[in-house]
């Protein structure tokens, strides 16, 4: 699988276009940047996986060898992926700051992260379009709090399957 990646922050324009009251599952913390791993799989969009300091579910890549992970279960949260087409949503002027040990662990496991993120998005698309359905409980466990429904237009989902 061919891809490019970058660690960056999402811009204030992203926050304006995706406000908390309309998009409650997106990560909105006042004064905190949405720092993410941006993956370009050469589709029509980018997959933006946020770094989180505390994750309490399995839909994530969990850091295991970092100082923060020992305290708070930090990782990259697939359930809060943002699907982005508009490159104005990337803040290239402000450096994205990530703990060095988390960055190193991410780089050492990048192929797993890319495969897992691609699988998370593809499985969702296949279920919603009716191509390959998950059991309703399995779908709910995996996607109940997912941000992916906010990005159907960008992913090209026009035929919706009723869960």
């Amino acid at each position: 699988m061919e891809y490019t990646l970058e660690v960056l922050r999402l811009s204030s324009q992203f926050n304006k276009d995706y406000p908390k009251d309309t998009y409650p599952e997106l990560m909105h913390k006042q004064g905190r940047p949405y720092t993410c791993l941006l993956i370009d799989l050469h589709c029509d969009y980018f997959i933006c996986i946020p770094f989180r300091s505390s994750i309490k579910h399995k839909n994530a890549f969990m850091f295991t060898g970092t100082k923060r992970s020992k305290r708070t279960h930090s990782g990259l949260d697939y359930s809060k992926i943002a699907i982005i087409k508009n490159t104005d949503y990337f803040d290239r002027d402000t450096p994205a700051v990530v703990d060095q040990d988390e960055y190193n662990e991410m780089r050492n496991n990048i192929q797993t992260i890319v495969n897992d993120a691609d699988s998370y998005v593809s499985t969702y698309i296949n279920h919603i379009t009716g191509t390959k359905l998950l059991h309703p409980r399995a779908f709910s466990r995996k996607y109940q709090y997912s941000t992916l429904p906010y990005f159907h237009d960008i992913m090209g989902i026009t035929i919706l399957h009723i869960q």
Side-chain angles (χ1 to χ4, degrees), residues 74-101:
S74 59
L76 291 159
D77 191 344
Y78 303 135
S79 72
K80 301 306 177 193
I81 284 175
I83 302 294
I84 297 178
K85 195 173 211 167
N86 182 351
T87 57
D88 291 340
Y89 291 156
F90 307 140
D91 182 352
R92 298 196 186 275
D93 297 328
T94 309
V97 178
V98 178
D99 289 348
Q100 187 63 48
D101 55 349

Short mmCIF file of all heavy atoms in Angstrom, two decimals, residues 74-101:
data_model
loop_
_atom_site.label_atom_id
_atom_site.label_comp_id
_atom_site.label_asym_id
_atom_site.label_seq_id
_atom_site.Cartn_x
_atom_site.Cartn_y
_atom_site.Cartn_z
N SER A 74 -2.64 6.62 26.25
CA SER A 74 -2.60 7.49 25.09
C SER A 74 -2.46 6.68 23.81
O SER A 74 -2.05 5.53 23.82
CB SER A 74 -1.45 8.49 25.22
OG SER A 74 -0.21 7.81 25.33
N GLY A 75 -2.84 7.33 22.70
CA GLY A 75 -2.74 6.65 21.41
C GLY A 75 -3.31 7.48 20.28
O GLY A 75 -3.53 8.68 20.41
N LEU A 76 -3.53 6.82 19.16
CA LEU A 76 -4.15 7.42 17.98
C LEU A 76 -5.56 6.83 17.89
O LEU A 76 -5.73 5.61 17.80
CB LEU A 76 -3.35 7.08 16.72
CG LEU A 76 -1.99 7.77 16.65
CD1 LEU A 76 -1.06 7.03 15.70
CD2 LEU A 76 -2.17 9.21 16.19
N ASP A 77 -6.57 7.69 17.90
CA ASP A 77 -7.96 7.28 18.04
C ASP A 77 -8.66 7.18 16.69
O ASP A 77 -9.00 8.19 16.08
CB ASP A 77 -8.70 8.26 18.95
CG ASP A 77 -10.06 7.78 19.37
OD1 ASP A 77 -10.60 6.85 18.76
OD2 ASP A 77 -10.60 8.37 20.34
N TYR A 78 -8.89 5.95 16.22
CA TYR A 78 -9.55 5.75 14.93
C TYR A 78 -11.00 6.21 14.96
O TYR A 78 -11.54 6.65 13.95
CB TYR A 78 -9.50 4.28 14.51
CG TYR A 78 -8.10 3.71 14.42
CD1 TYR A 78 -7.81 2.46 14.96
CD2 TYR A 78 -7.06 4.42 13.81
CE1 TYR A 78 -6.53 1.93 14.88
CE2 TYR A 78 -5.78 3.89 13.74
CZ TYR A 78 -5.53 2.64 14.28
OH TYR A 78 -4.26 2.12 14.21
N SER A 79 -11.66 6.14 16.11
CA SER A 79 -13.07 6.52 16.17
C SER A 79 -13.28 8.02 16.00
O SER A 79 -14.40 8.46 15.73
CB SER A 79 -13.71 6.06 17.48
OG SER A 79 -13.25 6.83 18.57
N LYS A 80 -12.23 8.81 16.11
CA LYS A 80 -12.33 10.26 15.96
C LYS A 80 -11.63 10.76 14.70
O LYS A 80 -11.26 11.93 14.58
CB LYS A 80 -11.76 10.97 17.20
CG LYS A 80 -12.45 10.59 18.50
CD LYS A 80 -13.95 10.79 18.43
CE LYS A 80 -14.63 10.34 19.71
NZ LYS A 80 -16.07 10.23 19.58
N ILE A 81 -11.47 9.87 13.73
CA ILE A 81 -10.86 10.23 12.44
C ILE A 81 -11.67 11.34 11.78
O ILE A 81 -12.90 11.32 11.79
CB ILE A 81 -10.81 9.00 11.50
CG1 ILE A 81 -9.69 8.06 11.93
CG2 ILE A 81 -10.66 9.41 10.04
CD1 ILE A 81 -9.63 6.75 11.13
N ALA A 82 -10.96 12.29 11.20
CA ALA A 82 -11.57 13.31 10.35
C ALA A 82 -11.16 12.97 8.91
O ALA A 82 -9.99 12.69 8.64
CB ALA A 82 -11.10 14.71 10.73
N ILE A 83 -12.13 12.98 8.02
CA ILE A 83 -11.87 12.76 6.61
C ILE A 83 -11.84 14.14 5.96
O ILE A 83 -12.82 14.88 6.03
CB ILE A 83 -12.96 11.87 5.96
CG1 ILE A 83 -13.05 10.53 6.69
CG2 ILE A 83 -12.71 11.70 4.48
CD1 ILE A 83 -11.84 9.63 6.55
N ILE A 84 -10.72 14.48 5.34
CA ILE A 84 -10.52 15.85 4.88
C ILE A 84 -10.13 15.88 3.41
O ILE A 84 -9.27 15.13 2.96
CB ILE A 84 -9.44 16.53 5.73
CG1 ILE A 84 -9.92 16.62 7.18
CG2 ILE A 84 -9.10 17.91 5.19
CD1 ILE A 84 -8.95 17.22 8.13
N LYS A 85 -10.79 16.79 2.71
CA LYS A 85 -10.46 17.04 1.31
C LYS A 85 -9.88 18.45 1.15
O LYS A 85 -9.00 18.67 0.35
CB LYS A 85 -11.72 16.88 0.47
CG LYS A 85 -11.47 16.75 -1.00
CD LYS A 85 -12.78 16.40 -1.71
CE LYS A 85 -12.46 15.58 -2.92
NZ LYS A 85 -13.62 14.95 -3.49
N ASN A 86 -10.40 19.38 1.93
CA ASN A 86 -10.02 20.78 1.87
C ASN A 86 -8.69 21.01 2.57
O ASN A 86 -8.61 20.95 3.81
CB ASN A 86 -11.12 21.63 2.51
CG ASN A 86 -10.85 23.11 2.45
OD1 ASN A 86 -9.77 23.55 2.07
ND2 ASN A 86 -11.86 23.89 2.81
N THR A 87 -7.65 21.28 1.83
CA THR A 87 -6.32 21.45 2.42
C THR A 87 -6.20 22.73 3.25
O THR A 87 -5.22 22.89 3.97
CB THR A 87 -5.21 21.40 1.35
OG1 THR A 87 -5.46 22.41 0.37
CG2 THR A 87 -5.16 20.03 0.68
N ASP A 88 -7.19 23.62 3.17
CA ASP A 88 -7.19 24.80 4.05
C ASP A 88 -7.42 24.40 5.50
O ASP A 88 -7.22 25.20 6.40
CB ASP A 88 -8.29 25.79 3.63
CG ASP A 88 -7.99 26.46 2.31
OD1 ASP A 88 -6.80 26.48 1.89
OD2 ASP A 88 -8.94 26.96 1.68
N TYR A 89 -7.84 23.17 5.74
CA TYR A 89 -8.06 22.69 7.10
C TYR A 89 -6.76 22.28 7.79
O TYR A 89 -6.76 21.93 8.95
CB TYR A 89 -9.02 21.51 7.12
CG TYR A 89 -10.45 21.87 6.77
CD1 TYR A 89 -11.31 20.92 6.27
CD2 TYR A 89 -10.95 23.16 6.95
CE1 TYR A 89 -12.63 21.22 5.96
CE2 TYR A 89 -12.25 23.47 6.63
CZ TYR A 89 -13.09 22.50 6.14
OH TYR A 89 -14.38 22.80 5.84
N PHE A 90 -5.64 22.32 7.09
CA PHE A 90 -4.35 21.99 7.68
C PHE A 90 -3.64 23.26 8.09
O PHE A 90 -3.47 24.17 7.30
CB PHE A 90 -3.47 21.21 6.69
CG PHE A 90 -4.13 20.00 6.10
CD1 PHE A 90 -3.95 19.68 4.77
CD2 PHE A 90 -4.94 19.18 6.86
CE1 PHE A 90 -4.55 18.57 4.21
CE2 PHE A 90 -5.55 18.07 6.32
CZ PHE A 90 -5.36 17.77 4.99
N ASP A 91 -3.22 23.31 9.34
CA ASP A 91 -2.46 24.45 9.85
C ASP A 91 -0.97 24.16 9.65
O ASP A 91 -0.35 23.49 10.46
CB ASP A 91 -2.78 24.66 11.33
CG ASP A 91 -2.05 25.86 11.91
OD1 ASP A 91 -1.18 26.44 11.22
OD2 ASP A 91 -2.35 26.21 13.07
N ARG A 92 -0.44 24.64 8.56
CA ARG A 92 0.97 24.39 8.25
C ARG A 92 1.88 25.48 8.82
O ARG A 92 3.09 25.38 8.73
CB ARG A 92 1.16 24.26 6.74
CG ARG A 92 0.37 23.07 6.18
CD ARG A 92 0.85 22.69 4.81
NE ARG A 92 0.02 21.65 4.21
CZ ARG A 92 0.19 20.36 4.41
NH1 ARG A 92 1.14 19.94 5.19
NH2 ARG A 92 -0.59 19.48 3.81
N ASP A 93 1.28 26.51 9.43
CA ASP A 93 2.07 27.61 10.00
C ASP A 93 2.48 27.35 11.44
O ASP A 93 3.45 27.93 11.92
CB ASP A 93 1.27 28.92 9.92
CG ASP A 93 0.99 29.32 8.48
OD1 ASP A 93 1.82 29.03 7.59
OD2 ASP A 93 -0.08 29.92 8.23
N THR A 94 1.71 26.54 12.15
CA THR A 94 1.99 26.25 13.56
C THR A 94 2.49 24.82 13.68
O THR A 94 1.79 23.89 13.26
CB THR A 94 0.72 26.43 14.41
OG1 THR A 94 0.14 27.70 14.13
CG2 THR A 94 1.03 26.32 15.88
N PRO A 95 3.67 24.63 14.23
CA PRO A 95 4.19 23.26 14.35
C PRO A 95 3.31 22.40 15.25
O PRO A 95 2.83 22.86 16.29
CB PRO A 95 5.57 23.43 14.96
CG PRO A 95 5.84 24.88 15.03
CD PRO A 95 4.58 25.62 14.76
N ALA A 96 3.10 21.17 14.83
CA ALA A 96 2.39 20.20 15.66
C ALA A 96 3.38 19.62 16.66
O ALA A 96 4.45 19.17 16.28
CB ALA A 96 1.80 19.10 14.80
N VAL A 97 3.02 19.65 17.93
CA VAL A 97 3.91 19.16 18.97
C VAL A 97 3.36 17.83 19.50
O VAL A 97 2.21 17.75 19.92
CB VAL A 97 4.04 20.18 20.12
CG1 VAL A 97 4.92 19.65 21.22
CG2 VAL A 97 4.57 21.51 19.58
N VAL A 98 4.20 16.81 19.44
CA VAL A 98 3.85 15.48 19.92
C VAL A 98 5.02 15.01 20.78
O VAL A 98 6.17 15.31 20.47
CB VAL A 98 3.65 14.51 18.74
CG1 VAL A 98 3.32 13.11 19.21
CG2 VAL A 98 2.58 15.02 17.80
N ASP A 99 4.71 14.29 21.86
CA ASP A 99 5.78 13.73 22.69
C ASP A 99 6.73 12.94 21.80
O ASP A 99 6.29 12.15 20.96
CB ASP A 99 5.21 12.80 23.76
CG ASP A 99 4.47 13.53 24.86
OD1 ASP A 99 4.58 14.77 24.93
OD2 ASP A 99 3.79 12.86 25.65
N GLN A 100 8.02 13.12 22.01
CA GLN A 100 9.02 12.45 21.17
C GLN A 100 8.92 10.93 21.24
O GLN A 100 9.01 10.25 20.22
CB GLN A 100 10.44 12.91 21.54
CG GLN A 100 11.50 12.39 20.59
CD GLN A 100 11.34 12.92 19.17
OE1 GLN A 100 11.15 14.10 18.95
NE2 GLN A 100 11.39 12.03 18.19
N ASP A 101 8.68 10.40 22.44
CA ASP A 101 8.60 8.93 22.54
C ASP A 101 7.34 8.40 21.85
O ASP A 101 7.35 7.32 21.26
CB ASP A 101 8.71 8.46 23.99
CG ASP A 101 7.70 9.07 24.94
OD1 ASP A 101 7.02 10.05 24.57
OD2 ASP A 101 7.60 8.58 26.08
#
